Amino acid sequence: DDSACNLSSLNLMKFAGAGGELDVEAYRHAADTMIVAQEIIVDNASYPTARIAENSHNFRPLGLGYANLGALIMSLGKPYDSDEGRAFAGAVTSLLTGYAYTASAEIAATRGPFEEYAKNSASMMAVLGMHRDALTRVKHDQWISSLTREAYQAWDNAIEAGQRFGFRNAQGTVLAPTGTIGFMMD
């Protein structure tokens, strides 16, 4: 309650590889860059009330998401409303979230975790563990096996870094509606 998160979306079409795959290295780099940029904004943003400003500084919630999921799935030759499309969406979402929390932990290594982290660390680590475990429910067919392997690695990295350093941000990702900003993303 009484908080705000700085929203940002990555245009997934920018990560479509020529061979019909997701360019995971570029996707990871973009996620890292955006988490750093959004983290900087927390201290430089204007908030509508003093309580929202206080909570935003104490918890530092971010909202990195993506746009153009359907366009990317269809450009890869898969039906949007299909088991393959849903598996791809799960893998891409898991990757982004794992990358975001790894970046947040890396920032915490030098800047410290968010103010309220100590009181929330056990719950946060449990939730992140559940996110990683949810990846087991993504259909692991050959089409996305490289993505799911990368997603498991991203989550292993995020959890290991979080155990060592904590997290700079109580929230790293959100899937906000992106219809309007899609016009700005071509």
Side-chain angles (χ1 to χ4, degrees), residues 78-146:
K78 304 297 180 182
Y80 178 68
D81 185 18
S82 67
D83 289 341
E84 290 174 311
R86 284 183 283 281
F88 184 80
V92 166
T93 304
S94 188
L95 267 176
L96 180 63
T97 308
Y99 290 155
Y101 281 103
T102 300
S104 180
E106 289 169 351
I107 296 168
T110 59
R111 307 273 304 163
F114 64 90
E115 186 74 28
E116 299 290 326
Y117 181 72
K119 290 191 275 188
N120 293 284
S121 63
S123 296
M124 187 167 181
M125 292 305 294
V127 168
L128 294 181
M130 287 188 280
H131 280 290
R132 185 196 186 278
D133 294 345
L135 187 54
T136 63
R137 294 192 303 272
V138 172
K139 184 180 173 196
H140 299 277
D141 62 16
Q142 187 173 355
W143 189 77
I144 62 163
S145 62
S146 64

Side-chain angles (χ1 to χ4, degrees), residues 41-112:
I41 291 171
V42 172
D43 291 326
N44 294 294
S46 298
Y47 298 98
T49 69
R51 182 74 180 135
I52 291 172
E54 178 184 0
N55 281 335
S56 295
H57 288 104
N58 288 343
F59 292 94
R60 308 186 76 76
L62 305 180
L64 180 60
Y66 56 66
N68 271 336
L69 173 66
L72 178 59
I73 291 171
M74 290 183 284
S75 77
L76 298 175
K78 304 297 180 182
Y80 178 68
D81 185 18
S82 67
D83 289 341
E84 290 174 311
R86 284 183 283 281
F88 184 80
V92 166
T93 304
S94 188
L95 267 176
L96 180 63
T97 308
Y99 290 155
Y101 281 103
T102 300
S104 180
E106 289 169 351
I107 296 168
T110 59
R111 307 273 304 163

Side-chain angles (χ1 to χ4, degrees), residues 10 66 70 104 142 147 153 172 175 181:
L10 298 174
Y66 56 66
S104 180
Q142 187 173 355
L147 289 181
Q153 186 60 57
L175 292 179
I181 67 167

